[in-house]
Amino acid sequence: MTKIRVITHPNIALIKYWGKRDTSLMLPTKNSLGITLAALKTTTYIEPSPSNSDLIELNGKVLINKNNPITSFLDTVRNSLGINKRFSISSKNNFPTASGLASSASGFAALAFGINSVCNLKLSLQEISILARLGSGSAARSVHGGFVLWEQGKHPTGIDCYASQIFNGDWWPDLRVMIAITTNDAKKTPSRAGMQQSIKTSPYYSQWLVESESRLHTMITAIQQRNISLLGKLAEQDWCGMRQVMLSSKPVLDYWSDTSNRLIKKIISIREKNAIEAYITTDAGPHVKIIHHAQDTSFLMKELSRDAGVVTLVASHLADNPIVEEK
Ligand code: PMV
């Protein structure tokens, strides 16, 4: 029996996705663009189950309750591919899970690769991205390393809604993202529920969609030119737009903690006082990600580590493509 090991990484959006036009097929309301981070890693082992049910272990804990996102994903995949195999899965993250660090992106991308190998499906990367998308939207992007564009597509079945690599991880060797991990806890409102709440209730949602879409092409130019000032400015604008949408949702979606808000102010002040290119993005969680150049990593580490609310600081370069191998 084949046992497969898959190594994947979270993909953090520079141009965000927040909201679905079809919640069962996980089709987004907009295009998004993200970078896959090498320092955050998901290692997943998958093989056929020796019994008639799926056996799932996440971060060393067996999932006993069948009502969990991994089992639902496996059921959806079995349905959509017409297979009935059960799987034995053991997956571990080297970073907090379900906390706003895109663990679902790397987790579901790993499962899509793993199922493809265990069942010998011979799917293309586009098809694997589509499969991963059924677990979590951003997982469509984690199928690739480097800079990744997830196109919303037009087809009602979602066949044209997958992610592609636009530049690989080596394209910009000195680009770094520092991740200030501020808690090990899971978030209170999962993204899946939060984003649909924003579509329904935020008065700024449709405006953000239009503005964000118009940033996408300039973002691709910024990457092409390795222009960190432009990339950082656009990433911050896009994140601020998403944050405004979240904070204007009803009930309010405030994913940030006092530590996050302090760090955001601190980074802006470091940038202004020291003329350092350091730009902020966050997701649906309290961790702060700082886009910067490798030459500034140690200065930023020193400055940010002074904050008592920071649990860990990790600086990451961009990841290569996922690794899929027989074990
Ligand atoms: O992949 P999901 O469905 O958990 O949503 C993630 C959404 C954000 O991380 C907030 C933004 C993004 O584009 O990754």
Side-chain angles (χ1 to χ4, degrees), residues 11 13 16-18 20 32 104 136-139 141 191 195 242 246 283-284:
N11 181 289
K16 306 285 185 189
Y17 134 72
W18 188 249
K20 297 183 184 75
S32 61
S104 61
S136 135
S138 51
R141 296 192 311 250
S191 306
M195 58 178 73
M242 182 181 74
M246 289 166 165
D283 287 293

Side-chain angles (χ1 to χ4, degrees), residues 37-52:
L37 302 183
L40 306 183
K41 190 163 92 172
T42 298
T43 307
T44 303
Y45 291 88
I46 175 165
E47 61 189 318
S49 169
S51 74
N52 284 336

Side-chain angles (χ1 to χ4, degrees), residues 7 69 79 81-82 109 115 120 147 184 186 188 193 204 210 224 310 315:
I7 297 177
N79 250 330
L81 297 174
I115 293 168
N120 200 18
F147 297 84
N184 287 314
K188 286 192 198 86
Y204 304 118
V210 175
Q224 183 136 36
V310 172

Side-chain angles (χ1 to χ4, degrees), residues 16 189 279 294 306:
K16 306 285 185 189
T189 310
Y279 300 94
R306 291 205 186 112

Side-chain angles (χ1 to χ4, degrees), residues 17-24 26-29 190-202 205 249-250 253 255:
Y17 134 72
W18 188 249
K20 297 183 184 75
R21 65 178 196 279
D22 182 321
T23 50
S24 53
M26 311 281 266
L27 303 177
T29 53
S191 306
R192 193 173 291 213
M195 58 178 73
Q196 296 313 105
Q197 188 174 315
S198 291
I199 293 184
K200 279 199 208 115
T201 63
S202 167
Y205 190 79
S249 300
K250 292 168 203 75
L253 290 168
Y255 286 108

